[in-house]
Amino acid sequence: FGFLSENADFAEACEQAGLIFIGPSAQTICTLGDKISCKRLAEQAGLPLVPGYQGDDQSIEKLIPEVEKIGLPVIVKAAAGGGGRGMKLITQMSDAKDLIESAQREALSAFGSQKVFLEKYLDRAKHIEFQIFGDSTGEVQHLFDRECSVQRRHQKIIEEASSPSLSDELRKKMGEAAVAIARLARYQSAGTVEFLLQDGKFYLLEVNTRLQVEHPVTEEILGVDLVKMQILTAMGKFIFSRDDIRIPRGHSIECRVYAENSYLNGVPSTGKLGTVSWPEGPRRRFEYGFEKGDTITSFYDPMIAKVIVWDETRPRAIEKMIK
């Protein structure tokens, strides 16, 4: 996971160099990775979308009247990006021009494109996502849902599976919607369809054409290995069998560990890593990129580790995570 894993030019360069890119095709990444073309595909698939503006006219003279038309609050987002970059919330019209221009600059710097789009801001929405997977024959299935609503600065910090916010009926509808857009895009390998849920209604947020940071919680409740499935698919060897019925078992939670200064509003904290100790135990999982004595630099994301637990019920999983 990371920006390069959903870069269509990189995937195409791999193909042209005779290398196998483990992930979707460059064409699929291009179609779904651009949030505007993704929304057009979602309309074809009949997915509900948040009201907004996704037009090609990116002038301030066009965008400001569109903000007024949608109605405040409105969120400005980078068309080519994610991870909270190039994202600004407009709550009063007097700030609209500055915030749109700021989002365009940030988008250009982070993703090489200053294209933005506008959406009605849902002020108490839950963030729910569905793990999708396309096998080597082109068959697409979903591997259930994850709840990712605990965020700070649009960055996820706690994720769990399955979501406690969904009824069986809503889970079925959202899963079908996720599979519908993935099939239209001829999706192969692992991906995630993200939704916003508010007042019992769901809306497509975006499709991430890569393995998500939070994929372990799905693996824990289903007993699957998504990375292995990706590698086998790239080899042409992974196929969903007809009697392959997966039922989630228990509950799993992931907490991300960030190298940040909590006394300075969470700014990234760099320097040498002192003691590293993981409380190993049954159904506890630790994924990390640093060891004792390593230096945390300013060149990468401040997320340095993940702690994942599984237990029979959500209260027990919470208790285990706290320990």
Side-chain angles (χ1 to χ4, degrees):
F1 37 83
F3 290 132
L4 209 54
S5 62
E6 49 187 346
N7 184 315
D9 293 339
F10 177 69
E12 197 174 343
C14 286
E15 286 168 30
Q16 286 173 358
L19 299 169
I20 292 170
F21 177 75
I22 300 177
S25 68
Q27 178 60 48
T28 300
I29 295 172
C30 210
T31 305
L32 294 173
D34 179 280
K35 292 185 171 69
I36 292 171
S37 65
C38 176
K39 282 175 186 291
R40 288 182 186 140
L41 197 67
E43 282 171 342
Q44 284 180 47
L47 270 67
L49 296 171
V50 179
Y53 170 77
Q54 293 103 33
D56 291 326
D57 187 344
Q58 293 282 298
S59 67
I60 288 291
E61 295 73 29
K62 173 67 177 172
L63 292 171
I64 287 177
E66 289 295 334
V67 171
E68 287 178 323
K69 197 191 293 181
I70 296 162
L72 296 175
V74 167
I75 194 158
V76 191
K77 294 181 181 178
R85 289 174 172 85
M87 200 182 276
K88 302 291 173 188
L89 179 61
I90 303 170
T91 55
Q92 47 191 44
M93 287 309 300
S94 55
D95 296 336
K97 182 176 185 290
D98 287 348
L99 289 171
I100 290 168
E101 288 173 345
S102 172
Q104 288 174 329
R105 283 193 301 273
E106 223 173 274
L108 184 63
S109 159
F111 311 110
S113 164
Q114 65 174 22
K115 197 170 189 181
V116 295
F117 65 99
L118 307 171
E119 269 183 1
K120 179 75 177 170
Y121 181 64
L122 302 176
D123 57 355
R124 56 185 189 283
K126 297 278 189 181
H127 187 132
I128 313 289
E129 61 189 31
F130 274 74
Q131 176 70 55
I132 50 164
F133 201 96
D135 71 11
S136 37
T137 69
E139 165 66 14
V140 179
Q141 291 187 14
H142 76 76
L143 301 174
F144 293 92
D145 50 284
R146 297 186 284 256
E147 171 93 37
C148 307
S149 300
V150 182
Q151 301 185 11
R152 183 202 47 197
R153 298 197 303 272
H154 306 294
Q155 290 273 12
K156 299 167 187 170
I157 49 175
I158 299 175
E159 301 102 351
E160 51 187 314
S162 301
S163 164
S165 305
L166 300 186
S167 63
D168 290 345
E169 186 191 357
L170 205 47
R171 181 169 279 117
K172 185 173 183 289
K173 280 185 186 169
M174 291 171 80
E176 285 168 356
V179 169
I181 190 168
R183 283 187 177 146
L184 264 183
R186 297 187 174 87
Y187 204 92
Q188 214 167 27
S189 198
T192 304
V193 182
E194 302 200 343
F195 297 101
L196 291 175
L197 173 69
Q198 186 166 303
D199 303 327
K201 292 181 179 174
F202 66 91
Y203 307 91
L204 177 76
L205 178 62
E206 63 184 2
V207 181
N208 284 313
T209 56
R210 57 178 162 83
L211 196 67
Q212 297 277 83
V213 171
E214 58 271 21
H215 74 272
V217 293
T218 294
E219 294 182 332
E220 292 298 314
I221 62 161
L222 289 176
V224 296
D225 183 335
L226 287 163
V227 179
K228 181 179 179 180
M229 286 162 68
Q230 282 188 296
I231 294 167
L232 289 173
T233 300
M235 293 167 72
K237 288 186 174 180
F238 180 77
I239 298 165
F240 286 118
S241 66
R242 294 206 172 273
D243 42 301
D244 206 1
I245 297 164
R246 292 182 180 82
I247 297 165
R249 281 192 64 252
H251 198 84
S252 182
I253 300 174
E254 171 180 287
C255 287
R256 302 186 185 196
V257 180
Y258 288 98
E260 292 179 347
N261 188 331
S262 53
Y263 298 102
L264 289 175
N265 202 24
V267 297
S269 176
T270 58
K272 202 167 188 178
L273 201 58
T275 303
V276 177
S277 171
W278 300 108
E280 303 287 351
R283 299 306 291 262
R284 301 172 185 185
R285 179 170 161 182
F286 307 95
E287 298 195 351
Y288 46 92
F290 295 89
E291 292 176 346
K292 182 180 177 176
D294 286 350
T295 300
I296 311 278
T297 70
S298 58
F299 305 116
Y300 300 99
D301 190 278
M303 185 189 76
I304 57 169
K306 306 184 293 179
V307 177
I308 304 107
V309 301
W310 179 93
D311 220 312
E312 290 99 338
T313 63
R314 186 170 184 251
R316 284 187 191 169
I318 291 169
E319 196 181 334
K320 185 180 275 188
M321 179 58 85
I322 290 166
K323 280 184 185 167

